[in-house]
Amino acid sequence: MQAWDDYLKALEPDLGKETIDRWARCLKILNFDAANLYLEAPDSFQAQWFNEYLLPKARKSFLNENGRLVKIHMQVAQKRPLSKADKEKTDRPPAFQFITDPIDQSHTFEALVETLQNKIVFKLFSDFKSFKKTEPPIYNPIYIYGVEGIGKTHLLHATATLLKVQKAKVQYVKSLTFTQNMVSAIKSGKMPEFRDFYRDCDVLIVDDIHHLAHKSATQEEFFHTFNSLHMDGKQIILSSHLSPQQLKDIEPRLISRFEWGIVLPLQVPAPQELKKILNKKLSEVNVTLSSESKDFLIQKFSKNPKILSQAISALILRAHLKLPQGQNIDPDKLTPEAIERLLADLIKKEQKAKVTVERIIDLIALYFGVEIDDILSKSQSRECVLPRQMSMFFCREYLKLPYMKIGRIFSRDHSTVMSSVKQIQQNIKHPDNDSSKLVTALKQRIFPHF
């Protein structure tokens, strides 16, 4: 039906092509006339989602060639006949219960170490100690981002705890939990309860908002939740590994809303600032270390504070296990050499973690004498194809990235990536051939410590 196709295309700028393809264009057209359109959904979930989000729009704006509204009739595809017992089960809606994400009470502002790099962020969040429900937010939303382990979740938990002490109604949720609850609510016919749960609050805190990627239904619902809270003057706080502009597979209208308020990065502290964090952690476990040993730890675990704290905890535990029961750790014996032996596996893991996609492509481009753009281009010349295949191979074999993600990086279909990786894997089965020697040479450049 041409009118239906045209109508769906008209909805794409507002809802996004991915949403329309996933939830509307895939519906089967059973029959139609000038005033009616009969659709079939593959299952009740698809039908419920359509009725919830798209049918209200269609009732107001889906017109035929004469400018009259077309009525949409929806049915669910018939499956095999059900037994009486099965029918009774399907007639009963599934039980619905909200999953809630706990707030770690140990994640307080007092446990955080303010650094020069993150002073502004900490100040903004600590100002919630004077939060007033009746006053509109100064910044809305507040969007923080930074690498994993930098302290985003700690900061959100501390903020939620601080707000609850002031009797504010706070909803803290991870974006994956938001999705799980929404799917469960749709299946159970409990969407009004779902909306009340997340919209009847003074502050909504959503952790890891980047996990909304590829979830068009969740994005649609969160869009309306965001709008409802924002219009009511309720505070919204979001966190992510990425800045709004770096987010992939999230609708532009959501990304623009994430930028309405203030966007703040959480940055990895400088070595001098990391020493403050290290000293605080050591004081908590009542252990002292020499300046040389501290510098060694910071050098090896400078990626972020969380990894540094984990390394210190592992060091103390392993050092204790080496001692007779009841004997205390001798700080003089925790030399850099001793620490390197005790934390050998963690040091190796950390060195490997410092290798990124960008570093792999950069070093391979340098080795082959080509530009990075050549590797990422569509060129099929051997000068470009081999470096590209090697880059895909290292991303898969050593970073363990999914084929789909590698495909997006190199603007290739995932099947092309699989074929390239498999070709290199086959070639290096023989250690003496050129491909095997090439992989060994590249590995030494990319992973010099292994």
Side-chain angles (χ1 to χ4, degrees):
M1 182 183 181
Q2 189 60 45
W4 179 238
D5 288 337
D6 293 342
Y7 179 67
L8 294 182
K9 285 180 182 177
L11 290 178
E12 285 179 4
D14 183 33
L15 298 179
K17 186 176 185 303
E18 186 180 336
T19 299
I20 296 300
D21 288 343
R22 170 69 179 84
W23 298 99
R25 196 163 275 123
C26 61
L27 298 173
K28 185 177 180 181
I29 298 176
L30 298 176
N31 203 353
F32 62 88
D33 55 40
N36 297 278
L37 174 64
Y38 297 86
L39 299 173
E40 182 181 84
D43 53 52
S44 59
F45 181 54
Q46 184 105 19
Q48 287 176 34
W49 195 95
F50 179 87
N51 291 336
E52 183 79 30
Y53 296 105
L54 294 184
L55 189 57
K57 295 179 183 288
R59 283 174 175 160
K60 297 177 183 177
S61 54
F62 179 35
L63 309 175
N64 62 17
E65 293 178 356
N66 297 321
R68 300 182 63 181
L69 284 170
V70 178
K71 186 175 181 180
I72 294 178
H73 308 264
M74 174 67 72
Q75 71 177 51
V76 178
Q78 291 294 316
K79 296 191 167 81
R80 64 174 180 80
L82 298 174
S83 66
K84 185 177 180 181
D86 287 340
K87 191 172 187 308
E88 288 176 356
K89 288 180 184 177
T90 56
D91 288 342
R92 291 195 302 269
F96 175 65
Q97 186 174 1
F98 279 104
I99 303 168
T100 56
D101 292 309
I103 295 171
D104 190 336
Q105 299 297 322
S106 69
H107 287 174
T108 63
F109 281 103
E110 291 71 29
L112 287 166
V113 177
E114 184 179 293
T115 64
L116 289 173
Q117 290 76 20
N118 297 318
K119 190 172 183 178
I120 295 174
V121 181
F122 287 7
K123 174 69 168 62
L124 177 64
F125 278 83
S126 61
D127 281 349
F128 279 111
K129 61 180 177 289
S130 57
F131 177 78
K132 292 181 176 62
K133 302 179 189 179
T134 54
E135 294 181 1
I138 299 174
Y139 304 108
N140 205 21
I142 296 172
Y143 185 109
I144 61 171
Y145 69 96
V147 297
E148 185 178 358
I150 197 67
K152 300 184 297 298
T153 297
H154 187 140
L155 193 58
L156 297 186
H157 285 199
T159 303
T161 301
L162 184 64
L163 288 165
K164 287 189 173 186
V165 168
Q166 299 174 81
K167 308 301 181 186
K169 192 170 184 181
V170 182
Q171 286 292 2
Y172 167 82
V173 64
K174 296 176 181 176
S175 63
L176 289 175
T177 305
F178 185 90
T179 299
Q180 286 179 275
N181 283 336
M182 190 200 77
V183 171
S184 180
I186 290 177
K187 288 181 176 179
S188 308
K190 299 289 185 180
M191 282 305 290
E193 288 86 344
F194 172 87
R195 288 174 180 143
D196 288 343
F197 188 78
Y198 288 113
R199 300 182 191 184
D200 182 22
C201 61
D202 300 311
V203 182
L204 176 64
I205 301 175
V206 185
D207 207 352
D208 291 336
I209 197 71
H210 50 273
H211 286 314
L212 291 184
H214 300 290
K215 298 178 178 66
S216 53
T218 309
Q219 289 181 38
E220 176 72 20
E221 182 56 37
F222 187 74
F223 174 80
H224 296 296
T225 297
F226 184 104
N227 285 348
S228 175
L229 290 169
H230 200 278
M231 285 190 294
D232 289 343
K234 305 301 183 182
Q235 180 71 65
I236 303 166
I237 303 174
L238 309 172
S239 84
S240 174
H241 293 345
L242 305 166
S243 70
Q245 287 303 317
Q246 291 173 312
L247 294 172
K248 302 293 184 184
D249 302 303
I250 291 181
E251 294 179 20
R253 59 179 180 163
L254 268 178
I255 291 174
S256 69
R257 279 162 174 76
F258 295 164
E259 296 176 314
W260 275 358
I262 187 169
V263 177
L264 294 169
L266 270 175
Q267 299 175 344
V268 177
Q272 251 340 90
E273 299 297 308
L274 276 174
K275 190 166 283 191
K276 293 180 186 177
I277 297 169
L278 187 149
N279 287 333
K280 183 177 178 65
K281 181 70 177 177
L282 289 173
S283 67
E284 289 173 359
V285 294
N286 196 27
V287 170
T288 58
L289 290 177
S290 68
S291 295
E292 292 78 8
S293 293
K294 289 178 184 179
D295 290 341
F296 178 82
L297 281 166
I298 289 171
Q299 177 193 352
K300 296 298 181 182
F301 301 98
S302 60
K303 189 176 179 183
N304 59 49
K306 182 178 180 181
I307 292 172
L308 178 61
S309 294
Q310 289 173 342
I312 296 167
S313 297
L315 174 65
I316 304 308
L317 176 62
R318 294 174 186 185
H320 269 299
L321 291 174
K322 294 281 185 181
L323 295 172
Q325 190 171 2
Q327 186 173 331
N328 292 326
I329 296 173
D330 183 355
D332 293 334
K333 292 185 177 179
L334 284 180
T335 61
E337 293 76 19
I339 293 173
E340 187 166 25
R341 287 194 300 271
L342 286 167
L343 300 181
D345 59 324
L346 297 182
I347 291 172
K348 184 175 180 180
K349 181 180 178 182
E350 179 62 9
Q351 288 172 335
K352 192 171 181 179
K354 289 180 180 178
V355 176
T356 63
V357 172
E358 291 76 14
R359 176 175 170 80
I360 287 174
I361 297 174
D362 185 40
L363 289 175
I364 290 178
L366 188 64
Y367 182 88
F368 282 96
V370 298
E371 298 295 326
I372 292 174
D373 288 344
D374 293 333
I375 293 178
L376 298 175
S377 72
K378 297 288 186 182
S379 173
Q380 293 301 312
S381 67
R382 177 169 173 77
E383 289 76 11
C384 298
V385 170
L386 185 56
R388 185 183 305 131
Q389 288 179 334
M390 283 294 174
S391 299
M392 292 178 178
F393 169 78
F394 275 91
C395 287
R396 177 62 182 174
E397 287 292 298
Y398 294 96
L399 299 189
K400 306 300 181 186
L401 296 184
Y403 289 114
M404 293 287 285
K405 185 170 183 177
I406 298 172
R408 288 196 291 272
I409 293 168
F410 292 90
S411 302
R412 297 301 198 278
D413 185 85
H414 76 281
S415 60
T416 302
V417 178
M418 290 176 69
S419 176
S420 297
V421 172
K422 187 175 181 180
Q423 184 174 335
I424 302 296
Q425 288 172 335
Q426 291 291 332
N427 290 343
I428 64 174
K429 285 182 177 179
H430 305 287
D432 294 329
N433 68 17
D434 292 340
S435 292
S436 184
K437 292 176 182 177
L438 181 56
V439 167
T440 300
L442 289 171
K443 185 180 176 182
Q444 288 172 349
R445 286 177 175 249
I446 297 168
F447 303 99
H449 301 286
F450 302 101

